[in-house]
Amino acid sequence: MAEGENDLHTGRKTTGHEWNGIKELTTPVPKIVLFFLAVTFLVSLLIWVLAPTWPTGSAYTKGILGIDQRTSLETSLKRSAARTAPWRNEIEQSNFETIAQNTELMKTVRSHGARLFGDNCAMCHGADATGGIGFPSLVDDQWLWGGDPSTIMETLRVGINSTNDDTRISQMIAYGRDGILTLEQRRSVGAYVRSLSQSHEISTADIEKLEAGATIFAQQCASCHGPDGRGMQSVGAPNLTDDHWIYGGGSADIDETLRNGRHGVMPQWEKRTSATDRKILTLYILDLAEGAQ
Ligand code: HEC
Ligand code: HEC
């Protein structure tokens, strides 16, 4: 077919291509498309000049405006530090009691504390801080290491069995694995431990073991858990007479505790949080605990 032939229906020229009698018209690209193509090209030229664009090996062209992600991040960090400075300073300089009595400041503690707790602590202690198997509740008013604000803040700083040089060290001895107590002795002292908090659930078979259990307890356990089993905060040994358990209070749980010991690990927060954030977290936990009572 001849090139440039006129199409009968539209009057337009054809390209000269033909497939089974179908011919292609030489329709030009619409003007609007060309227009926007030109505009985008000009805009890109402008951006090359104004903003960082081309890599030049180890650096890049900076552009007239000198936009830099690093400096914009620094500015926005500075801006947010300036915004939070007033209440941060107040929290840093006031003691725990003064802050707890300041309703305005406690609003900030609650909102900022909830975020810090959610980001750093909730995966172990639970979103509402009530803990779970292996992770103590922080709102049950039972403290392994002590519940006054400065002690809690110190626990946060150093952690428990952590990598911090000042870490708190918590070690429940593996009486079975280390061959210190026989199975029979562990069962007796286990029954005795359960009788301390759950005397109503002790079976008659267990009652016979209580005397032997009490003797073993006095010899082996009292040095850490106290003669009456109420725990000792200087070594992080839990109170065994209440009904709050880290690892469970059933006979199988206590058997496991006595056989293999326990060695709970709480990370240190000295390197990952500021002292102000640890103060906020302490106030936040105590506030939650108060609400939970
Ligand atoms: C990796 C899990 C984990 C994370 C994350 C964690 N904890 Fe802990 N935390 C523990 C364990 C386990 C213990 C108990 C250790 C033990 O058995 O002696 C503990 C103990 C504590 C104690 C001591 C409680 C007492 O009775 O004395 C406090 C307070 C505490 N955590 C607060 C926090 C806060 C606040 C955060 C977040 C900044 C946090 N924890 C993050 C695992 C964790
Ligand atoms: C060296 C000190 C030490 C001695 C001795 C010791 N305990 Fe413990 N015990 C601990 C500590 C510390 C914990 C907490 C461990 C943790 O949370 O990781 C613990 C935890 C426990 C628990 C778990 C409590 C819970 O809430 O789940 C039980 C039960 C227990 N001890 C019973 C005993 C018995 C019975 C004896 C004596 C046969 C004994 N302990 C001797 C330090 C000791």
Side-chain angles (χ1 to χ4, degrees):
M1 190 190 69
E3 197 179 326
E5 171 188 315
N6 269 335
D7 176 56
L8 289 180
H9 300 285
T10 61
R12 285 239 170 94
K13 290 243 185 262
T14 65
T15 57
H17 300 155
E18 183 185 341
W19 297 272
N20 293 337
I22 300 172
K23 295 173 186 170
E24 191 183 25
L25 299 177
T26 54
T27 314
V29 176
K31 289 232 166 47
I32 185 91
V33 173
L34 291 176
F35 172 75
F36 280 113
L37 211 60
V39 170
T40 41
F41 180 68
L42 289 175
V43 168
S44 73
L45 274 183
L46 196 68
I47 288 176
W48 291 347
V49 178
L50 293 179
T53 321
W54 296 104
T56 57
S58 60
Y60 54 89
T61 59
K62 300 263 189 300
I64 297 175
L65 294 182
I67 300 168
D68 184 333
Q69 297 297 325
R70 192 178 303 244
T71 35
S72 10
L73 176 70
E74 274 164 15
T75 341
S76 79
L77 283 179
K78 267 195 209 127
R79 211 178 298 136
S80 99
R83 209 175 41 237
T84 58
W87 58 259
R88 280 191 175 273
N89 285 345
E90 208 172 338
I91 288 179
E92 270 158 38
Q93 279 152 23
S94 315
N95 62 29
F96 286 102
E97 265 168 40
T98 320
I99 304 172
Q101 280 158 12
N102 182 332
T103 26
E104 271 311 303
L105 214 48
M106 279 310 287
K107 270 190 205 154
T108 313
V109 163
R110 282 184 199 113
S111 69
H112 197 69
R115 199 163 50 236
L116 283 172
F117 193 86
D119 287 350
N120 298 297
C121 326
M123 66 284 239
C124 288
H125 291 286
D128 52 1
T130 51
I133 302 293
F135 303 104
S137 166
L138 303 176
V139 295
D140 59 5
D141 208 28
Q142 292 294 321
W143 297 96
L144 295 164
W145 296 94
D148 68 283
S150 49
T151 309
I152 296 178
M153 201 171 146
E154 178 66 1
T155 304
L156 296 187
R157 183 178 78 83
V158 301
I160 301 166
N161 297 327
S162 80
T163 50
N164 193 290
D165 289 342
D166 301 330
T167 181
R168 299 197 188 285
I169 294 166
S170 156
Q171 185 68 56
M172 168 63 200
I173 297 166
Y175 283 95
R177 202 180 58 208
D178 292 350
I180 304 167
L181 293 179
T182 63
L183 178 64
E184 188 55 34
Q185 290 172 315
R186 295 197 311 270
R187 293 227 163 116
S188 302
V189 76
Y192 176 73
V193 165
R194 276 183 295 120
S195 78
L196 294 175
S197 62
Q198 310 157 41
S199 41
H200 54 285
E201 282 174 29
I202 299 300
S203 64
T204 32
D206 275 351
I207 287 175
E208 289 165 15
K209 298 182 185 142
L210 292 184
E211 210 180 300
T215 311
I216 298 169
F217 192 89
Q219 289 164 353
Q220 297 282 347
C221 324
S223 56
C224 289
H225 289 282
D228 53 2
R230 289 185 184 278
M232 223 180 265
Q233 295 183 339
S234 55
V235 292
N239 183 347
L240 302 174
T241 66
D242 59 25
D243 210 8
H244 298 282
W245 297 93
I246 308 173
Y247 300 102
S251 56
D253 306 317
I254 292 179
D255 277 353
E256 173 58 25
T257 298
L258 290 172
R259 186 167 61 233
N260 288 319
R262 300 287 187 186
H263 187 76
V265 174
M266 150 91 163
Q268 60 159 318
W269 295 97
E270 185 168 30
K271 298 208 171 110
R272 300 180 60 185
T273 53
S274 66
T276 319
D277 282 347
R278 291 195 295 278
K279 198 166 182 182
I280 294 173
L281 278 165
T282 302
L283 286 154
Y284 176 76
I285 296 173
L286 286 171
D287 185 59
L288 277 187
E290 205 176 292
Q293 296 309 311

